[in-house]
């Protein structure tokens, strides 16, 4: 779904119990004059049973309402921070006749008596068999709640206790926090990108993340020249884009240092005035020997930039200190980086980030620590330069196709060719027009996959050309690799065939409607392996092609390119 299109479930929310069925809004938590300006989130959506109150199955009795420990204080902290609150809850007991709408509203009135007023109550009154678009894990309640609260789904975070809650959040492009209870299944915990021990802990982290991207001190006078650094692959560079735009908002000139594998992505980023391409042997996964002359040459080139500030962005498992030493030798006056290791005098701003934060937010928090923030009106989402993305080739026909990208530079994250082939056949049988994309090195795979249904584009495009094709897609079916982030940058929904070698919460498609598929608890979990360490590639080999078809339906992508 494009970011400039209306959320479909805001048009199709008639079956959802919404404003007329709220328990009331007097004394609500809407942002008032003088409240802190929200940055990442405008609103927090909360599941009811098991999250806000103890789970009493099919409860229609207000006397049985018992808040979970610490709920009132946690909610009041969100209200004080200027965040709007809504409840999003499946209540199939209405469809089954276990309680009436009047009884349900009495329960909600009791919840508000104990926990304070909410800005909106959104209820799905259906059972699974009804096939509605509002019963979680469908995203309808999330879209409807965002509409009620005057915001968008991507600016909401949903807190719930089961996988349906997290699935609904992801499918709408919202953040999802899982607070497990005894009924939460282990596979749901493994698949969740963000897990908190209880509701107060979830609120702590929501507020911490919100605050982390606000500069602690004003940026002051604009920086003359800022050097920003993001080595590694195209995907790494793309997810750093919001932070680079934040630095650009406070600098007169931005120079980006990147490696050869990320150069094509660097050319697509807004806010960059100049690019220096140079491999960093402490970052590249297959580095050659350290060449002292190349290091001296890089140091001289960095010195010639005349940067008065450098912000060194890295992934959570990388060190910024080798480059910080070169920057000191190059005479850069102020250096900021994330470092758990003691930096000595190498860093002026030593920033730390907890494990599990999405990479775009991790980078934004470093930019904030260095004194930079996104300007008003620039959402913290991935973006591409419009003038750098060519239109799709005319011979591909109208927009509305599904892009299937089976490969990856890291084979551990690639979809097994036999699985991708079955997916292509299932998508074609379901009426989808399929474009199979891949690099020139993947032509054998793309030809094999496309033979089962689709157009083979293997090796036909560079990264910018692929971005143009992705931008006109209805959805992208892809693993954890660069095209997933191209889709996020264009607001195109993603069916994520995600190998758990790295955490989904850090590397999943950011702020775009997503359905995650694959075995999140597979033995390769958190190994960071580039090649699959487990025979048979079990994390992705078990994906049923019908799951992909169902995921597209969940994302409101229909066969024939319609939505």
């Amino acid at each position: 779904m494009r970011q400039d299109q209306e959320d479909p479930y805001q048009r199709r929310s008639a079956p959802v119990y919404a404003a007329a069925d709220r328990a009331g809004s007097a004394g609500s938590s809407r942002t008032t004059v003088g409240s802190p300006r929200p940055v990442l989130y405008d609103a927090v959506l909360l599941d009811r049973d098991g999250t806000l109150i103890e789970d009493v199955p099919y409860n229609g009795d207000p006397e049985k309402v018992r808040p979970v420990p610490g709920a009132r204080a946690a909610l009041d902290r969100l209200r004080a921070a200027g965040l709007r609150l809504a409840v999003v809850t499946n209540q199939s007991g209405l469809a089954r006749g276990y309680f009436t709408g009047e009884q349900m509203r009495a329960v909600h009135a009791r919840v508000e008596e104990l926990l304070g007023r909410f800005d909106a109550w959104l209820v799905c009154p259906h059972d699974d068999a009804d096939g509605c678009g509002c019963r979680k894990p469908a995203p309808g309640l999330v879209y409807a709640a965002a509409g009620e609260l005057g915001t968008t789904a991507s600016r909401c975070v949903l807190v719930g206790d089961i996988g349906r809650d997290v699935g609904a959040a992801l499918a709408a492009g919202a953040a999802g926090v899982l607070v497990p209870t005894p009924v939460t299944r282990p596979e749901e915990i493994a698949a969740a990108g963000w897990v908190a021990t209880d509701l107060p802990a979830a609120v702590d982290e929501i507020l911490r993340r919100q605050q982390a991207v606000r500069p602690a001190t004003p940026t002051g006078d604009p920086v003359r020249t800022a050097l920003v650094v993001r080595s590694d692959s195209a995907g790494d560079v793309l997810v750093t884009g919001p932070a680079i735009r934040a630095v650009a908002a406070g600098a007169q000139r931005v120079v980006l240092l990147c490696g050869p594998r990320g150069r094509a992505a660097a050319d697509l980023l807004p806010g960059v005035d100049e690019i220096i391409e140079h491999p960093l042997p402490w970052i590249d996964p297959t580095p050659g020997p350290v060449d002292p002359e190349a290091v001296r040459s890089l140091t001289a080139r960095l010195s010639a930039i005349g940067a008065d500030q450098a912000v060194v962005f890295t992934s959570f498992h990388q060190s910024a200190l080798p480059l910080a030493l070169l920057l000191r030798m190059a005479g850069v006056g102020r250096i900021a980086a994330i470092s758990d290791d003691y930096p000595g005098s190498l860093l002026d701003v030593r920033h730390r980030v907890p494990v599990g934060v999405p990479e775009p937010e991790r980078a934004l928090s470093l930019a904030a620590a260095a004194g930079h923030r996104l300007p008003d009106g620039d959402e913290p989402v991935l973006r591409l330069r419009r003038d750098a993305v060519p239109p799709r080739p005319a011979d591909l026909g109208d927009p509305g196709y599904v892009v299937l990208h089976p490969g990856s530079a890291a084979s551990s994250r690639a979809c097994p060719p036999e699985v991708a082939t079955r997916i292509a056949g299932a998508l074609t049988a379901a009426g989808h027009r399929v474009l199979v994309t891949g690099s020139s090195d993947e032509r054998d795979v793309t030809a094999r996959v496309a033979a089962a249904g689709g157009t083979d584009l293997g090796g036909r495009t560079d990264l910018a050309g692929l971005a143009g094709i992705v931008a006109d897609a209805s959805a992208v079916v892809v693993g954890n690799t660069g095209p997933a982030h191209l889709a996020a940058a264009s607001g195109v929904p993603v069916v994520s065939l995600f190998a758990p070698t790295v955490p989904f919460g850090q590397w999943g498609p950011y702020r775009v409607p997503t359905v995650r598929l694959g075995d999140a608890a597979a033995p390769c979990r958190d190994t960071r392996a580039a090649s699959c360490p487990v025979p048979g590639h079990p994390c992705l080999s078990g994906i049923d092609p019908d799951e992909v078809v169902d995921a597209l339906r969940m994302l409101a992508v229909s066969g024939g390119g319609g939505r």
Side-chain angles (χ1 to χ4, degrees):
M1 175 174 49
R2 307 298 188 82
Q3 291 168 338
D4 59 353
Q5 291 178 340
E6 182 183 8
D7 290 336
Y9 282 105
Q10 291 188 23
R11 301 193 302 268
R12 290 188 263 143
S13 58
V16 179
Y17 277 62
D21 295 293
R22 281 182 280 167
S25 59
S28 71
S29 61
R30 290 189 180 275
T31 305
T32 57
V33 175
S35 298
R37 176 186 176 272
V39 179
L40 295 176
Y41 314 117
D42 293 325
V44 178
L45 317 181
L46 301 116
D47 175 56
R48 195 190 81 174
D49 303 315
T51 302
L52 287 174
I53 60 176
E54 294 178 3
D55 188 1
V56 178
Y58 305 114
N59 181 31
D61 183 357
E63 295 302 316
K64 294 181 180 179
V65 172
R66 298 287 185 274
V68 300
R72 178 61 191 251
L75 296 174
D76 284 345
R77 291 182 65 205
L78 294 173
R79 294 174 177 121
L83 290 162
R84 285 159 275 173
L85 305 182
V87 180
V88 289
T89 177
N90 290 347
Q91 292 297 326
S92 64
L94 285 168
R96 300 179 184 189
Y98 294 154
F99 51 79
T100 66
E102 183 178 355
Q103 288 173 313
M104 180 187 70
R105 286 186 285 273
V107 168
H108 292 173
R110 177 60 175 163
V111 172
E112 291 202 328
E113 182 180 345
L114 296 171
L115 297 180
R117 297 296 183 115
F118 293 88
D119 291 293
W121 286 80
L122 287 302
V123 178
C124 172
H126 307 107
D127 202 353
D128 277 330
D130 293 329
C132 68
C134 55
R135 183 166 174 80
K136 295 177 289 185
L141 288 182
V142 180
Y143 284 131
E148 284 281 307
L149 299 177
T151 186
T152 61
S154 65
R155 294 191 64 85
C156 297
V157 54
L158 191 159
V159 185
D161 66 316
I162 61 174
R164 283 176 174 260
D165 300 312
V166 174
L170 292 179
V177 188
L178 183 70
V179 178
T181 69
V183 305
T184 312
R185 298 195 303 269
E187 58 267 29
E188 295 175 332
I189 298 172
W194 181 352
V195 179
T197 55
D198 54 24
L199 180 59
V203 169
D204 286 345
E205 181 62 6
I206 290 168
L207 295 178
R208 191 206 65 76
R209 292 189 186 188
Q210 185 91 314
Q211 186 61 37
V213 297
R214 291 191 178 104
T217 57
T219 55
D221 294 332
V223 176
R224 294 188 301 277
T225 297
L227 172 69
V228 293
V229 181
R230 190 61 176 100
S231 193
D232 225 326
S233 66
D236 300 289
V237 173
L238 291 172
V239 299
T240 313
I244 292 174
R245 298 199 310 270
V247 174
Q252 296 174 355
R253 174 173 170 250
V254 172
V255 179
L256 170 61
L257 170 63
C258 68
R261 295 185 304 129
R263 173 58 190 262
D267 288 331
L268 302 179
L269 292 185
V272 177
D273 299 298
E274 180 183 341
I275 297 173
I276 296 176
E277 178 186 324
H278 197 287
L280 301 182
W282 54 90
I283 296 292
D284 286 355
T286 56
V290 174
D291 181 349
E293 183 56 38
V295 173
R296 283 191 287 270
S297 175
L298 174 60
T299 304
R301 192 169 185 187
L302 295 174
S303 178
I305 293 170
D308 42 4
Q309 182 183 89
V311 185
V312 182
F313 297 105
T314 53
S315 290
F316 70 102
H317 59 277
Q318 296 171 341
S319 174
L321 298 186
L323 183 62
L325 175 61
L326 299 189
L327 292 170
R328 281 285 184 242
M329 295 173 65
V332 177
R334 188 167 186 263
I335 305 171
I338 295 172
S339 181
D340 290 324
D341 296 327
Y342 173 63
S345 59
L346 296 181
L347 298 179
D348 300 287
V349 178
R350 179 195 185 188
H351 186 53
R352 293 183 178 182
V353 182
V355 173
V357 176
E359 288 288 321
E361 292 178 24
R362 186 176 185 274
L364 271 172
S365 73
L366 173 59
H372 303 285
R373 53 160 281 183
L374 286 168
D376 291 344
D378 188 356
E379 289 291 299
V381 297
L382 309 192
R383 294 192 192 283
L384 305 177
R385 286 175 42 210
R386 293 183 180 180
D387 62 339
V389 178
R392 72 183 187 286
D395 62 349
L396 297 183
D398 294 333
Y401 41 77
V402 172
V403 169
L404 173 58
H405 189 91
S408 171
S411 61
S412 62
R413 295 187 266 120
C415 182
E418 63 276 10
V419 176
T421 299
R422 293 196 297 270
I423 290 173
L427 292 175
T428 301
H432 294 284
R433 187 159 46 103
V434 180
L435 305 184
V436 184
T437 58
S439 69
S440 57
D441 295 335
E442 297 166 337
R443 286 175 176 167
D444 289 345
V445 172
T446 60
R448 173 182 171 183
V449 173
T455 300
D456 180 12
L457 299 182
R460 278 187 52 181
T461 68
D462 58 10
L463 190 71
L466 179 58
I469 291 170
V470 165
D472 282 334
S474 290
V476 177
V477 181
V478 62
N480 175 26
T481 189
H485 305 303
L486 289 179
S490 295
V492 174
V494 176
V495 178
S496 179
L497 313 179
F498 196 91
T501 53
V502 295
F504 181 80
Q506 291 180 239
W507 287 104
Y510 187 64
R511 291 200 169 209
V512 66
T514 300
V515 174
R516 178 185 184 177
L517 298 178
D519 182 1
C524 63
R525 182 180 174 92
D526 294 335
T527 61
R528 301 207 306 267
S531 299
C532 184
V534 185
H537 209 356
C539 64
L540 299 180
S541 62
I543 292 174
D544 185 335
D546 288 340
E547 292 181 281
V548 178
V549 175
D550 291 341
L552 291 175
R553 190 176 299 115
M554 179 81 73
L555 295 169
V557 178
S558 61
R563 289 186 56 79

